[in-house]
Amino acid sequence: MSALLGLRPEVQDTCTSLGLMLLVVLLMGLARVIARRQRHRPTAHAFILEFLATFQLCCCTHELQLLSEQEPAHPTWTLTLIYFFSLVHGLTLVGTASNPCGVMMQMILGGMSPESGAMRLLAQLVSALCSRYCVSALWSLSLTKYHFNERSLACKNPIHTDMSKAIITEAICSFIFHSALLHFQEVRAKLRIHLLAALITFLAYAGGSLTGALFNPALALSLHFPCFDESFYQFFVVYWIAPSLGVLLMILTFSFFLPWLHNNQTTNKKE
């Protein structure tokens, strides 16, 4: 603690924010360990794990967004944090989606029942809202000069382009990310986590200045809830419909169109 007090105020605030994010990860990890011991009710067990995973992701992203606004001296600082915490989430949130689009993909491909999918979707949406209010309460403690309750209550519009480009950006990011999820399943777990973290960092860099490149409806709801209240149609289309369309297009492409095209070419060669 004395070493931390000897640092510049800006560095102290950054270290405090990083410490809060790691504390959230540890607390959610402890809660998951406790929850995994209660397996006699599978539905409730799945709900709790999905709730905890989404809560961890949303809380850390709130704080990460706060750090990105501090204009660090090194331009790659934010991207480094995104990569690091993507690794952390990848290592700790195994077996959960924490993304409605991921649940939708599993249901369409037959990897999850509609009942289980609906329960996980409910857990994600409830957790997204709970994380927002928990972060708001935490920021009201003013642990750093960047923490104040009013920050979480205001709508800071993340869409910095026209509607059509915003929709395309979120749809493409969702298409690419879920394509990677689908096709990296055969890759070794340790390598897969690094590949997905690198991909998330790249997508954040490529689309972050346009829409934030969230491609996660639950995360968008947590981060920008006041904006949904002020302009529901615009944010619903960009952050809910567009990522869902990206997933549907990905499934149609890899599960139907490409196999059909391959079979058609094979038939023509035989003839």
Side-chain angles (χ1 to χ4, degrees):
M1 180 63 69
S2 59
L4 182 61
L5 294 176
L7 299 173
R8 290 182 301 167
E10 295 82 3
V11 179
Q12 290 182 27
D13 290 339
T14 299
C15 291
T16 301
S17 290
L18 292 175
L20 288 174
M21 285 190 279
L22 292 176
L23 180 61
V24 168
V25 172
L26 291 175
L27 290 177
M28 293 303 102
L30 178 61
R32 279 191 295 273
V33 170
I34 297 173
R36 288 194 173 101
R37 295 178 179 176
Q38 311 297 326
R39 293 178 175 270
H40 55 282
R41 298 184 63 184
T43 303
H45 179 254
F47 181 94
I48 292 172
L49 290 182
E50 200 65 52
F51 179 94
L52 294 174
T54 306
F55 188 89
Q56 175 180 315
L57 176 65
C58 291
C59 285
C60 289
T61 307
H62 272 284
E63 200 67 34
L64 188 59
Q65 187 180 60
L66 187 67
L67 284 174
S68 69
E69 297 172 359
Q70 297 181 20
E71 299 183 2
H74 202 284
T76 59
W77 171 241
T78 301
L79 295 177
T80 302
L81 289 178
I82 292 174
Y83 179 79
F84 173 75
F85 278 96
S86 295
L87 284 179
V88 171
H89 297 321
L91 288 169
T92 59
L93 304 184
V94 177
T96 56
S98 59
N99 186 337
C101 292
V103 173
M104 183 179 70
M105 180 181 73
Q106 293 182 53
M107 286 195 294
I108 294 175
L109 294 176
M112 183 181 298
S113 67
E115 294 78 10
S116 177
M119 184 61 65
R120 290 173 185 268
L121 289 174
L122 178 62
Q124 291 170 358
L125 296 180
V126 172
S127 180
L129 294 176
C130 288
S131 65
R132 176 172 187 83
Y133 290 110
C134 286
V135 167
S136 178
L138 184 63
W139 285 357
S140 67
L141 299 177
S142 301
L143 297 177
T144 76
K145 69 177 181 180
Y146 303 102
H147 285 170
F148 47 90
N149 193 45
E150 291 76 10
R151 176 186 291 272
S152 65
L153 300 178
C155 170
K156 298 187 66 176
N157 195 330
I159 302 175
H160 301 295
T161 184
D162 59 74
M163 187 77 162
S164 59
K165 289 182 180 178
I167 293 172
I168 292 172
T169 300
E170 285 295 311
I172 290 177
C173 287
S174 184
F175 181 98
I176 294 173
F177 176 71
H178 289 93
S179 297
L181 279 181
L182 186 64
H183 293 93
F184 286 177
Q185 292 178 0
E186 303 301 324
V187 180
R188 287 188 301 112
K190 291 182 180 180
L191 177 59
R192 181 173 67 249
I193 291 171
H194 282 278
L195 290 175
L196 289 174
L199 179 60
I200 291 172
T201 305
F202 168 75
L203 293 176
Y205 172 76
S209 61
L210 299 177
T211 63
L214 298 176
F215 49 91
N216 184 333
L219 181 58
L221 181 65
S222 182
L223 291 177
H224 306 299
F225 181 74
C227 299
F228 278 90
D229 185 47
E230 293 180 12
S231 182
F232 178 80
Y233 171 76
Q234 179 184 12
F235 280 78
F236 180 76
V237 171
V238 172
Y239 291 111
W240 286 35
I241 300 299
S244 301
L245 289 177
V247 171
L248 290 174
L249 182 59
M250 182 274 296
I251 293 173
L252 290 173
T253 300
F254 291 104
S255 297
F256 298 100
F257 177 71
L258 290 182
W260 172 82
L261 185 62
H262 173 73
N263 293 333
N264 192 39
Q265 290 178 342
T266 303
T267 302
N268 290 337
K269 288 181 180 179
K270 289 181 179 179
E271 293 177 354

